[in-house]
C-alpha cells in the first residue's frame, strides 16, 4: 500500500502537467479533458466510453486533484486488484477492501484511509452497502472527506444490460445517504435504453452524459463459417497474430477440448471456465496476464476486469449470445490502440445451443429479451453490411459504413438495386399495421400457408405471395439491410416489431433508392502492421527486460510499461534519463523506478548493434 499520501500531492499547474506527472502521458484522449473538468466541478456524470478509451483516468485523475477520497465501486475482485496494483506502480496511493483480506489487513487499510494516506478506495457493491461499511464511510466523510463515488461497469445496474447484477440496483442508497457527493457512472457498453436505466437507478442529478464513439478503428472484424477446417483457420490466426489472444467458447466442454487440441499443436494455452477450482482459475488468469502463456481458451466467465492492453486477437469460436456482450468481449483486443483482430466463427448449431440455454431461464420475459438479443447477434453474423455500421447502430450511433476494418468492407462485392423489393417489404409492414416482426412479414411475402396468416386474413393482402421469387435468406438480408441503413426501425422491447419511419415512406414513394450488397465467399487475408526490422528487434529486447522486471515484482508486464511505450522507446532510442522522460507513458515515478535499467538496455543494445542513439535531450 505504498504510494503518494495526500500531503505528497504537489499539484502541477495544468491538467496536462498533472497527466504527465502522475500517469506519464502528454495528452488526453478524446473526451477525457472535458469529463475531468466537469468532475472537478463536482457534477454527476454518465460516461459511455468503449474499452481502451481511457475511462479509468476520468475518475482517477480528479481523485488526485481533489481533497478527500474517491470511492470506486467495482464488480469483481480481479478488476479492483488489477487497477490498484497499476495505480501503486505509478506511485499513487490506492487500496481495495474485499473478502480476500485478513481481518488485520482490513483494519490496517481502514486506518490508512482515516489518516488521509489513501486517495482511491475500491470496493464491491455488496460490501459497500453493508451497514458496517456505510458507518465506516460516515466516519471517513467526517474525518477525511469523500470527493466522489465512481460506479464502474455501470451497465450492471440495468436489467436491459448484458451483465445485470441485482446488487447494483441498490446503489441508489448512496444518493439518499450522501446527496451532496457527486457520482460518476462509467461503462463501455450501453444502448440508449440502458443509459436511461442507469440514470434512473443511480438517481443521477442532471448528469453530463458523455457518449464516446463506439468505433474502434484499430480492430478488424471478420465472420467465418464454422466447418471441418475451422481449427486449421484458428491455428493460422494464432500464428499470424504474434501475441496474446483470447478464444471464447459457449460451453466448458468445448473449452477443454479446444485447449487440449491447441496444446497438441504446440500452442501455449490454458483453459478458463466456471467448472475449474477457484485456485486453478486464478492461477491460469495470472499466468496469462504475465505472458507465461500466449492464449486463454475460456467461456464468457473470463474477461471482465482483465486489464491486459496487448491482446492481439479475440476469437469467438462459437456464436455470442448478444451483440452487446460480443462487442465488449471482442473489445478486449487492442486496448493499447495497436491493430488487433476480432474473429467470429459460427454455424446454425450454435443457435440451437443458445436457444437451449435461453429455455433454461425461469422467467418468460427473460427468455423473450434473450431471444431478441440473439436475433441481433444472428443479424450481425449473417449480414453483408459494414460490421462497424451494425455495431454502432445497435448502440444508437449513426455510421456511414465503408470502415475498411471489416471483412465486408475490405472485399469488393457486387451491389444491386433492390428498391422494388424494398417497396414490397415496407408496404407489407404498412399493410400489417406495423404489428409484426421480420419472419412474419417474410412469410406473407412468400405466400406461406401458415394458419396464423389465414386466421388473421393476411392472405387477402395485396402483398401476400408477391415475394415468392426470393428465398427467405434473401428477404432477411434485405430486412436487415433496411434496418442497418436506417430505412426501417425495430422495437427494442424483446418482440422486434418492425416500424416504419420517415425514410421508409421515402422509399415507398420512390424518393430514395435502396442498394444492398450481395454476399461472396470471404478469405482470411488479414492485414497487419509491422515495424522496421531494427525497431522490431529492439522492441523484443525491451519486452524481455520488461518481463524480467515484472517477474521480479510479481506484477503483469504491461504494468511496467505498455507495448505502445516500449514501441516508442524502440523507435526513438532515448539514451539519457531526460530523453527517457519525454517518452509517452513515462511519468516521474516510473522514471525514477525503471529509467536507469531501460536507458542502459537501450544504450548497450545500440552499441552492440552499431545503432546510433536517438533522443539525447529534451
Amino acid at each position: 500500500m505504498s504510494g503518494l499520501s495526500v500531503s505528497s500531492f504537489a499539484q502541477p499547474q495544468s491538467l496536462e502537467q498533472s497527466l504527465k506527472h502522475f500517469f506519464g502521458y502528454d495528452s488526453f484522449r478524446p473526451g477525457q479533458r472535458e469529463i475531468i473538468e466537469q468532475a472537478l466541478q463536482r457534477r454527476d456524470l454518465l460516461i459511455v466510453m468503449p474499452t481502451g478509451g481511457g475511462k479509468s483516468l476520468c475518475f482517477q485523475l480528479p481523485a488526485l486533484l481533489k481533497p478527500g477520497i474517491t470511492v470506486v465501486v467495482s464488480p469483481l475482485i480481479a478488476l479492483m486488484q488489477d487497477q490498484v496494483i497499476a495505480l501503486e506502480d505509478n506511485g499513487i496511493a490506492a487500496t481495495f477492501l474485499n473478502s480476500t483480506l485478513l481481518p488485520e489487513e482490513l483494519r490496517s487499510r481502514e486506518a490508512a484511509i482515516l489518516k488521509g494516506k489513501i486517495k482511491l478506495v475500491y470496493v464491491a457493491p455488496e460490501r459497500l452497502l453493508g451497514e458496517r461499511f456505510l458507518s465506516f464511510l460516515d466516519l471517513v466523510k467526517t474525518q477525511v472527506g469523500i470527493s466522489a463515488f465512481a460506479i464502474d461497469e455501470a451497465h450492471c445496474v440495468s436489467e436491459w444490460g448484458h451483465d445485470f447484477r441485482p446488487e447494483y440496483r441498490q446503489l441508489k442508497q448512496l444518493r439518499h445517504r450522501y446527496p451532496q457527493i457527486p457520482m460518476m457512472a462509467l461503462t463501455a457498453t450501453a444502448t440508449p435504453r440502458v443509459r436511461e436505466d442507469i440514470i434512473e437507478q443511480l438517481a443521477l442529478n442532471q448528469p453530463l452524459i458523455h457518449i464516446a464513439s463506439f468505433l474502434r478503428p484499430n480492430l478488424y472484424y471478420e465472420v467465418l463459417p464454422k466447418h471441418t477446417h475451422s481449427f486449421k483457420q484458428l491455428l493460422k490466426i494464432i500464428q499470424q497474430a504474434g501475441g496474446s489472444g483470447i478464444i471464447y467458447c459457449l460451453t466448458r466442454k468445448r473449452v477443454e477440448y479446444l485447449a487440449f487440441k491447441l496444446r497438441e499443436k504446440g500452442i501455449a494455452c490454458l483453459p478458463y471456465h466456471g467448472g475449474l477450482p477457484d485456485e486453478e482459475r486464478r492461477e491460469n488468469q495470472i499466468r496469462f496476464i504475465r505472458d507465461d502463456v500466449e492464449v486463454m481458451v475460456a467461456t464468457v466467465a473470463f474477461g471482465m476486469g482483465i486489464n491486459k492492453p496487448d491482446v492481439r486477437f479475440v476469437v469467438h469460436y462459437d456464436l455470442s449470445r448478444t451483440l452487446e456482450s460480443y462487442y465488449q468481449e471482442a473489445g478486449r483486443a487492442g486496448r493499447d490502440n495497436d491493430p488487433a483482430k476480432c474473429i467470429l466463427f459460427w454455424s446454425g448449431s450454435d443457435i440451437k445451443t443458445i436457444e437451449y440455454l435461453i429455455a433454461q431461464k425461469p422467467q418468460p420475459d427473460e427468455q423473450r429479451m434473450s431471444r431478441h438479443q440473439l436475433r441481433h447477434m444472428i443479424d450481425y453474423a449473417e449480414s453483408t453490411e459494414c460490421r462497424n455500421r451494425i455495431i454502432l447502430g445497435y448502440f444508437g450511433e449513426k455510421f456511414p459504413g465503408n470502415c475498411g476494418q471489416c471483412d465486408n468492407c475490405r472485399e469488393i462485392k457486387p451491389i444491386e438495386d433492390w428498391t422494388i423489393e424494398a417497396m414490397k417489404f415496407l408496404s407489407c409492414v404498412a399493410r400489417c399495421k406495423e404489428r409484426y416482426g421480420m419472419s412474419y412479414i417474410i412469410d406473407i411475402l412468400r405466400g406461406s400457408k401458415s394458419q396464423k396468416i389465414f386466421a388473421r386474413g393476411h392472405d387477402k393482402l395485396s402483398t401476400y405471395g408477391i415475394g415468392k421469387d426470393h428465398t427467405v435468406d434473401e428477404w432477411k438480408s434485405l430486412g436487415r439491410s433496411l434496418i442497418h441503413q436506417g430505412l426501417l426501425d425495430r422495437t427494442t422491447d424483446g418482440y422486434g416489431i418492425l416500424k416504419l419511419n420517415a425514410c421508409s415512406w421515402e422509399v415507398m414513394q420512390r424518393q430514395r433508392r435502396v442498394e444492398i450488397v450481395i454476399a461472396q465467399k470471404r478469405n482470411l487475408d488479414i492485414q497487419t502492421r509491422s515495424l522496421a526490422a531494427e525497431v522490431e528487434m529492439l522492441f523484443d529486447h525491451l519486452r524481455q527486460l520488461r518481463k524480467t522486471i515484472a517477474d521480479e515484482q510479481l506484477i503483469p508486464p504491461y504494468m511496467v510499461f505498455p507495448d505502445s511505450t516500449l514501441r516508442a522507446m524502440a523507435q526513438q532510442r532515448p539514451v539519457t534519463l531526460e530523453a527517457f522522460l519525454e517518452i509517452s507513458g513515462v511519468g516521474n515515478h516510473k522514471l525514477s523506478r525503471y529509467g536507469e535499467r531501460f536507458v542502459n538496455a537501450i544504450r548497450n543494445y545500440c552499441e552492440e548493434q552499431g545503432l546510433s542513439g536517438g533522443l539525447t535531450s529534451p
Side-chain angles (χ1 to χ4, degrees), residues 276-302:
L276 295 174
D278 290 347
E279 183 59 30
E280 185 176 352
R281 280 206 313 273
R282 190 180 74 83
E283 181 63 25
N284 287 358
Q285 177 172 303
I286 290 172
R287 290 184 65 192
F288 174 69
I289 290 174
R290 292 183 178 170
D291 290 345
D292 295 333
V293 296
E294 59 181 321
V295 176
M296 182 70 84
V297 186
T299 60
V300 294
F302 176 80

Side-chain angles (χ1 to χ4, degrees), residues 78-343:
L79 180 62
M80 63 176 75
Q81 290 176 340
D82 197 46
Q83 290 210 8
V84 167
I85 291 171
L87 286 166
E88 288 183 331
D89 199 55
N90 270 312
I92 294 168
T95 193
F96 58 80
L97 304 175
N98 61 36
S99 58
T100 67
L101 300 176
L102 296 173
E104 56 269 26
E105 290 178 306
L106 181 62
R107 287 192 294 271
S108 173
R109 295 185 183 209
E110 288 179 344
I113 292 169
L114 291 173
K115 290 177 183 177
K117 294 182 177 180
I118 302 296
K119 293 301 294 180
L120 292 112
V121 179
Y122 286 73
V123 62
E126 301 89 342
R127 176 177 292 269
L128 175 69
L129 298 173
E131 192 52 45
R132 180 191 177 280
F133 192 80
L134 288 173
S135 298
F136 173 69
L137 274 188
D138 290 341
L139 193 58
V140 172
K141 181 174 181 292
T142 301
Q143 292 191 17
V144 183
I146 301 174
S147 62
F149 291 107
I151 314 300
D152 206 5
E153 308 293 346
H155 58 271
C156 295
V157 169
S158 176
E159 289 182 304
W160 296 93
H162 68 280
D163 193 28
F164 170 58
R165 302 193 176 211
E167 59 272 15
Y168 260 65
R169 284 285 215 198
Q170 303 170 34
L171 290 174
K172 187 183 288 187
Q173 294 179 38
L174 291 177
R175 177 44 44 93
H176 295 155
R177 191 173 184 117
Y178 308 105
Q180 302 306 316
I181 297 177
M183 190 176 294
M184 181 187 296
L186 307 101
T187 178
T189 54
T191 62
R193 185 161 194 166
V194 171
R195 296 197 289 268
E196 293 173 7
D197 211 15
I198 291 172
I199 293 171
E200 179 182 350
Q201 294 302 324
L202 294 179
L204 300 183
N205 181 25
Q206 296 183 324
L208 168 74
I209 302 173
H210 178 88
I211 304 172
S213 174
F214 287 89
L215 180 65
R216 298 277 306 279
N218 63 309
L219 299 186
Y220 171 83
Y221 293 99
E222 180 162 12
V223 177
L224 295 168
K226 192 156 49 179
H227 47 62
T228 54
H229 300 296
S230 292
F231 182 74
K232 290 182 180 179
Q233 290 179 295
L234 177 63
L235 277 176
K236 186 177 180 181
I237 292 168
I238 295 171
Q239 291 160 357
Q240 287 181 338
S244 298
I246 304 170
I247 302 170
Y248 283 111
C249 303
L250 272 175
T251 64
R252 299 173 182 179
K253 184 177 180 181
R254 173 91 77 176
V255 167
E256 292 287 356
Y257 174 76
L258 207 54
F260 172 76
K261 293 283 289 181
L262 288 172
R263 284 196 294 267
E264 275 192 330
K265 296 295 183 181
I267 303 298
C269 71
L270 289 169
Y272 188 104
H273 57 72
L276 295 174
D278 290 347
E279 183 59 30
E280 185 176 352
R281 280 206 313 273
R282 190 180 74 83
E283 181 63 25
N284 287 358
Q285 177 172 303
I286 290 172
R287 290 184 65 192
F288 174 69
I289 290 174
R290 292 183 178 170
D291 290 345
D292 295 333
V293 296
E294 59 181 321
V295 176
M296 182 70 84
V297 186
T299 60
V300 294
F302 176 80
M304 182 183 283
I306 303 304
N307 192 30
K308 185 172 171 58
D310 56 348
V311 173
R312 297 274 63 87
F313 67 92
V314 171
V315 173
H316 283 74
Y317 205 67
D318 300 310
L319 189 69
S320 189
R321 301 186 197 195
T322 75
L323 190 55
E324 194 168 353
S325 59
Y326 175 75
Y327 176 76
Q328 185 168 64
E329 290 151 13
R332 287 164 189 150
R335 292 176 62 133
D336 53 8
N337 291 317
D338 279 356
K341 308 167 190 173
C342 306
I343 311 295

Side-chain angles (χ1 to χ4, degrees), residues 36-70:
I36 291 167
E37 287 174 341
Q38 292 298 314
L40 292 173
Q41 296 298 317
R42 299 181 57 80
R43 184 171 180 181
D44 282 358
L45 299 107
L46 171 59
I47 310 303
V48 184
M49 188 178 286
T51 301
K55 292 187 299 298
S56 298
L57 186 78
C58 293
F59 63 82
Q60 289 173 350
L61 187 56
L64 302 178
L65 301 179
K66 293 194 292 186
I69 68 164
T70 292

Side-chain angles (χ1 to χ4, degrees), residues 402-444:
N402 298 319
C403 68
Q405 279 296 91
C406 75
D407 51 349
N408 285 340
C409 289
R410 283 194 178 179
E411 297 168 10
I412 300 175
K413 299 176 291 294
I415 296 176
E416 292 186 2
D417 188 327
W418 274 50
T419 305
I420 298 300
E421 287 84 354
M423 292 171 65
K424 293 177 182 178
F425 191 101
L426 297 172
S427 178
C428 191
V429 173
R431 293 176 190 281
C432 289
K433 303 188 185 304
E434 304 173 69
R435 294 173 57 189
Y436 301 96
M438 190 180 299
S439 295
Y440 189 77
I441 295 299
I442 292 172
D443 283 347
I444 294 175

